[in-house]
Amino acid sequence: MKNILMIEDDVSIVELVAIHLKDIYCDLTKAHTGTEGLHLATKNKYDMIILDVMLPEMDGIEICRRLRADKIFTPILMLTARSEEIDKIIGLETGADDYLTKPFSIREFIARTKAILRRTEMEKSSAEIAEEIITSGSLIIDPLKRKVTLEGNKVELTPKEFDLLYLFMSNPGKNYSRENLLNIVWGYEFSGYEHTVNSHINRLRTKIETDLTTPKYILTSWGIGYRFTDEIH
């Protein structure tokens, strides 16, 4: 059984979701306010969090931001009744793994949930298999421990930042478009949300680059996207 936390104030949606999650062997914990949901998310371990954006007491964007700031990287599927692109980008950039706009079909909801849970299992398996430490100059990535160091100092990365860096360092010199990176790292096609890739790349650069005007590791491939340098050993 997978343990899922749903933070949603619409009781009818929660009950409908609970019924269908049972069919895919998921046990649902329910919270109807933002503060209650944040408390549960920080005190217990879940395989996934379903998080509504509009909530009493504390909104979903703030909950997501606080969880990621506290180094809680449980996969998050955000729900919202607002469909503006900026809302979606904000949700993804604060650390959400996927985004679903209300009203949604149960079939699509279950497909998204399965995709997130499956991707999480694959990441765990890959981490257990991937033991080779990759080095590029003073930048070192340990995929087994999911640890990154730069000049001997630990670099704190979000799961998506780590996945991006690991993909780049595993394939130096290879060009990736923003669409490629969305599909590979996020594991789902966020059509039209390529801006979130730029934001993650920019944040990653601030953590590993000495001079942001002339990046040393993550390079821009003009007209294509990004690539990791193949000149540092």
Side-chain angles (χ1 to χ4, degrees):
M1 292 286 288
K2 296 292 185 181
N3 294 311
I4 296 179
L5 171 64
M6 185 169 191
I7 310 173
E8 164 66 67
D9 61 333
D10 189 324
V11 177
S12 61
I13 291 179
V14 175
E15 295 307 320
L16 179 63
V17 164
I19 292 171
H20 289 276
L21 285 178
K22 284 183 180 179
D23 293 337
I24 59 171
Y25 305 102
C26 294
D27 186 41
L28 189 67
T29 299
K30 309 164 189 176
H32 300 300
T33 68
T35 51
E36 178 191 10
L38 179 62
H39 175 76
L40 289 171
T42 53
K43 298 301 180 184
N44 303 295
K45 187 174 181 180
Y46 299 97
D47 296 291
M48 176 180 165
I49 297 172
I50 302 164
L51 177 61
D52 189 27
V53 170
M54 300 300 293
L55 288 165
E57 300 177 7
M58 182 184 301
D59 66 58
I61 298 293
E62 180 62 21
I63 292 173
C64 188
R65 186 178 287 116
R66 290 196 187 189
L67 290 176
R68 297 316 189 218
D70 288 343
K71 305 295 189 299
I72 297 173
F73 298 119
T74 307
I76 294 175
L77 171 63
M78 297 200 79
L79 306 177
T80 183
R82 298 180 296 179
S83 59
E84 290 84 353
E85 182 180 359
I86 188 63
D87 289 327
K88 299 178 181 181
I89 292 173
I90 289 173
L92 296 175
E93 290 182 1
T94 51
D97 293 79
D98 201 350
Y99 206 97
L100 198 54
T101 303
K102 299 176 184 177
F104 54 84
S105 72
I106 283 295
R107 179 176 295 181
E108 182 179 10
F109 169 80
I110 292 298
R112 299 282 187 102
T113 299
K114 285 182 176 180
I116 291 175
L117 294 174
R118 182 169 59 249
R119 188 166 67 248
T120 303
E121 287 299 319
M122 289 176 64
E123 288 173 356
K124 289 179 181 178
S125 298
S126 297
E128 291 170 358
I129 295 171
E131 298 181 358
E132 182 180 356
I133 294 175
I134 305 173
T135 301
S136 181
S138 59
L139 182 64
I140 302 171
I141 188 168
D142 185 337
L144 185 60
K145 296 180 180 179
R146 291 183 70 86
K147 179 181 178 183
V148 176
T149 57
L150 179 63
E151 297 180 354
N153 299 312
K154 186 177 180 181
V155 181
E156 295 289 350
L157 300 179
T158 67
K160 287 294 179 286
E161 289 168 353
F162 181 93
D163 293 341
L164 275 170
L165 184 59
Y166 179 64
L167 176 65
F168 279 131
M169 291 185 70
S170 299
N171 302 276
K174 183 175 180 179
N175 291 304
Y176 291 94
S177 68
R178 292 165 181 80
E179 293 84 354
N180 291 153
L181 294 172
L182 279 170
N183 292 335
I184 295 170
V185 175
W186 277 259
Y188 196 89
E189 188 173 350
F190 290 105
S191 178
Y193 305 144
E194 289 79 10
H195 293 304
T196 197
V197 173
N198 296 344
S199 296
H200 279 78
I201 293 292
N202 290 339
R203 285 201 295 269
L204 183 54
R205 279 175 167 167
T206 62
K207 296 178 180 181
I208 66 172
E209 302 285 2
T210 303
D211 184 357
L212 294 177
T213 60
T214 55
K216 176 181 177 181
Y217 296 106
I218 301 176
L219 311 178
T220 299
S221 298
W222 298 108
I224 302 174
Y226 302 98
R227 72 185 187 280
F228 194 83
T229 183
D230 56 358
E231 298 179 358
I232 303 175
H233 303 285

